[in-house]
Amino acid sequence: MNRPHVIDVLVVGAGPSGSAAAIDLVRRGLDVRLVDRSPHAFDGSRAKGIQPRSLEVLEDLGALHEVLAGGSVYPKLGLHAGPLAVPWKMFPHKEASADVPYPNTWLIPQFRTDRALHARLSELGLKVEFGRELTELTQGEDTVVATVAGADGTEEIVARYVVGADGGSSAVRKQLGIGFVGTTHDSDRMLIVDASVTGLARDRWHMWPGLGGKLIGACPLPHSDMFQWMIRLAPDEKPPSRKDDILRRIHDHTRNRRIQLHDIHWTSVFRPNIRLAENYGRGRAFLAGDAAHVHTPAGAQGLNTGVQDAYNLGWKLGQVLAGADPALLDTYEAERQPIAAGVLGLSTAKWGGIAKLDPSSMKRGKDEQQLALTYYGGPLAPADGMRTATLRVGDRAPDAELLGTEGLPTRLFDVLRGPHFTALAYGPGAASDLKQLAWPTTGAQLKRLVVGPMTTDGFAFSDTKHTLRRAYGLTGDALLVIRPDGYIGHIATSDFLTTTQTAVRAMTP
């Protein structure tokens, strides 16, 4: 009897979360398949805001160039009150800095984000298998058997692990029997329409608020003649489906008959689900993205939180498959579930404020940008560890501008990019101990980065503009370990070698 081929990871769902997970796993040299029940890639604009932290993640994954090419910064809001349109700055525009290279939320329709990720997967040699639906999941001691149905019949895929990134109605979550706690407001619905439009200026995200939570919004989608329309429906209102009926609904609310709809590209009726999975996995199967948490659209948090789920889980799966303690996978839920709970609260509050015509609900700031999210106090970032003047273990590792040995400018993020860990030694004492740091030959490898006047084996850089020293709060010698997902895994300001060696044991084979 032929033994079935066993792959490393099956990813179910080829949206942003599943695609990001697949990219991260494939670049680690793992055997991966990515299936999606839809017949083709998603066509709508749905999740259209990519936050600064997600842009950093996409850069590391190799998909940022196409995302930047397919989007733009957000325009100002245009709040319409009768014949007047009041400009309102929703996002404070910031200039790039040494530590934050992408400080502004990026406007791009989801279908372009999906295709950018799929293009990156293709570069890595992985093709999305569309039209393949998960129907059953059976776990054994060492593998998971997934039954997948497609046009050519059913197939059993045997994998060491499964990642369920298959949306709010996740088949993986249901197969695992994991509860999805929260509420669905069936009476609070929003009709979303992507349509080609004339008669409306494209330099504003137009909002026509009304009493009782009535609202119509129209956001211009970059590099097209399309707007994403958001039409809040009355509790007993039947959503219009024909172009003429949708246009009549817009005219009745906006009183602007210059607006004309032409081609309608995509429509959907959204109900604000506010739900969080009770667990982020069971056995050898894990949940990511909307399969684990669903949000209101306010604040552009759902896609971004899902991509960071994938980014957190990918390196941990790679390490465990290389021989690390499987307990490392327990840290996925411990780190990511509290983040999602906080994001749910944020987006829910913003959504409620829009219904009350609260102007502050339309403001966006550092909470939405996800740059300040931290795993501090979690299982891989103990609160009793050492810290610098600005950073704790579990915080995001900032970017910095360095000079290489030949005097060429280099971004720290360029050094961090890739599936490896990075050990950053600042000062001669830390550099000396870094040379002695032992590292396993399996799993993610270690890139050794020395910043200071002396040159050692590995990489040597100087911090002539002091951007590293400022962003990292360095006042003396320090040795930091940066995880593959760009968060600080360890900080040592003394006893460099012993404390670092102890900390990395929990993350390596």
Side-chain angles (χ1 to χ4, degrees):
M1 180 177 178
N2 291 332
R3 299 183 63 183
H5 173 64
V6 180
I7 64 171
D8 290 317
V9 184
L10 170 65
V11 181
V12 183
S17 303
S19 297
I23 291 170
D24 198 25
L25 294 165
V26 170
R27 70 175 181 164
R28 296 176 188 283
L30 299 177
D31 188 1
V32 179
R33 288 180 65 177
L34 174 58
V35 301
D36 193 290
R37 67 181 180 182
S38 299
H40 52 71
F42 182 66
D43 283 331
S45 65
R46 185 166 52 204
K48 63 185 183 299
I50 300 186
Q51 301 295 351
R53 178 56 188 156
S54 298
L55 293 173
E56 295 174 358
V57 173
L58 292 172
E59 181 178 43
D60 181 48
L61 295 178
L64 181 63
H65 178 77
E66 193 165 341
V67 167
L68 293 180
S72 70
V73 294
Y74 271 78
K76 288 182 179 179
L77 281 181
L79 292 176
H80 293 262
L84 300 176
V86 180
W88 180 278
K89 186 179 288 188
M90 187 177 191
F91 299 89
H93 182 80
K94 297 181 179 180
E95 296 298 323
S97 60
D99 58 325
V100 181
Y102 310 107
N104 300 301
T105 305
W106 199 245
L107 172 61
I108 178 173
Q110 185 179 327
F111 66 81
R112 287 196 192 135
T113 301
D114 282 8
R115 283 159 176 77
L117 290 165
H118 296 167
R120 177 60 178 146
L121 281 168
S122 181
E123 290 175 359
L124 294 169
L126 185 67
K127 183 179 180 181
V128 182
E129 301 176 47
F130 286 109
R132 301 181 69 76
E133 182 175 6
L134 178 78
T135 59
E136 188 177 357
L137 203 63
T138 305
Q139 297 208 50
E141 185 177 345
D142 299 317
T143 58
V144 186
V145 179
T147 303
V148 174
D152 54 354
T154 61
E155 177 190 6
E156 287 190 346
I157 301 174
V158 184
R160 291 182 175 86
Y161 291 97
V162 168
V163 177
D166 48 342
S169 59
S170 170
V172 173
R173 189 187 65 243
K174 292 171 182 176
Q175 286 287 322
L176 296 175
I178 294 176
F180 207 32
V181 178
T183 58
T184 300
H185 299 285
D186 288 322
S187 62
D188 186 5
R189 298 165 300 147
M190 187 83 79
L191 174 64
I192 311 295
V193 179
D194 291 350
S196 299
V197 176
T198 55
L200 190 61
R202 297 190 59 82
D203 63 347
R204 292 288 185 269
W205 181 351
H206 301 272
M207 292 279 188
W208 292 268
L211 297 176
K214 293 180 180 178
L215 174 74
I216 284 185
C219 183
L221 299 177
H223 314 305
S224 75
D225 62 354
M226 290 193 295
F227 280 77
Q228 182 198 71
W229 289 88
M230 297 147 285
I231 303 170
R232 200 166 201 167
L233 302 169
D236 57 350
E237 182 179 0
K238 182 179 179 181
S241 57
R242 296 174 56 249
K243 182 179 72 174
D244 290 347
D245 295 333
I246 294 170
L247 182 59
R248 187 177 304 111
R249 178 69 165 78
I250 292 170
H251 284 167
D252 288 347
H253 184 95
T254 66
R255 309 297 182 189
N256 182 352
R257 298 192 177 276
R258 293 189 303 275
I259 298 170
Q260 295 297 320
L261 302 188
H262 302 284
D263 296 331
I264 291 181
H265 301 267
W266 175 77
T267 65
S268 178
V269 175
F270 169 83
R271 293 172 177 79
N273 282 308
I274 304 165
R275 294 183 179 273
L276 182 64
E278 291 181 318
N279 300 105
Y280 271 32
R282 188 158 292 168
R284 291 178 165 268
F286 297 88
L287 304 175
D290 286 356
H293 45 80
V294 288
H295 316 249
T296 76
Q301 297 296 290
L303 178 154
N304 296 277
T305 304
V307 166
Q308 284 225 53
D309 289 342
Y311 200 48
N312 183 289
L313 179 59
W315 72 269
K316 295 174 181 177
L317 282 170
Q319 289 295 83
V320 171
L321 284 163
D325 189 334
L328 179 60
L329 294 172
D330 296 337
T331 70
Y332 169 59
E333 177 180 313
E335 290 190 334
R336 293 304 301 166
Q337 193 180 51
I339 298 292
V343 167
L344 281 171
L346 174 69
S347 64
T348 301
K350 293 285 185 184
W351 183 259
I354 291 172
K356 298 173 184 175
L357 304 183
D358 177 5
S360 68
S361 67
M362 299 178 187
K363 283 284 189 182
R364 301 291 182 263
K366 66 177 183 178
D367 289 339
E368 289 83 8
Q369 294 186 329
Q370 301 197 352
L371 291 168
L373 294 182
T374 181
Y375 302 132
Y376 174 72
L380 296 178
D384 59 356
M386 288 180 263
R387 59 166 300 165
T388 71
T390 58
L391 293 175
R392 305 167 302 180
V393 179
D395 290 348
R396 162 190 169 269
D399 199 3
E401 297 173 355
L402 303 173
L403 283 182
T405 51
E406 297 180 359
L408 297 176
T410 302
R411 288 176 55 208
L412 176 58
F413 276 8
D414 289 337
V415 180
L416 301 184
R417 188 180 306 128
H420 55 266
F421 287 80
T422 303
L424 191 162
Y426 184 83
S432 177
D433 277 8
L434 175 57
K435 286 199 291 185
Q436 302 176 56
L437 180 65
W439 197 263
T441 57
T442 57
Q445 291 304 289
L446 179 68
K447 184 175 286 188
R448 301 170 196 252
L449 171 66
V450 175
V451 180
M454 62 182 296
T455 300
T456 65
D457 294 339
F459 295 78
F461 294 86
S462 57
D463 183 28
T464 55
K465 296 181 180 179
H466 307 301
T467 60
L468 179 78
R469 191 174 70 181
R470 283 194 297 268
Y472 281 72
L474 302 173
T475 56
D477 280 24
L479 180 59
L480 295 87
V481 175
I482 301 172
R483 301 172 2 172
D485 59 354
Y487 287 84
I488 307 293
H490 181 63
I491 296 173
T493 54
S494 63
D495 197 11
F496 306 116
L497 187 59
T498 303
T499 62
T500 302
Q501 202 76 69
T502 300
V504 301
R505 285 194 194 108
M507 300 183 284
T508 56

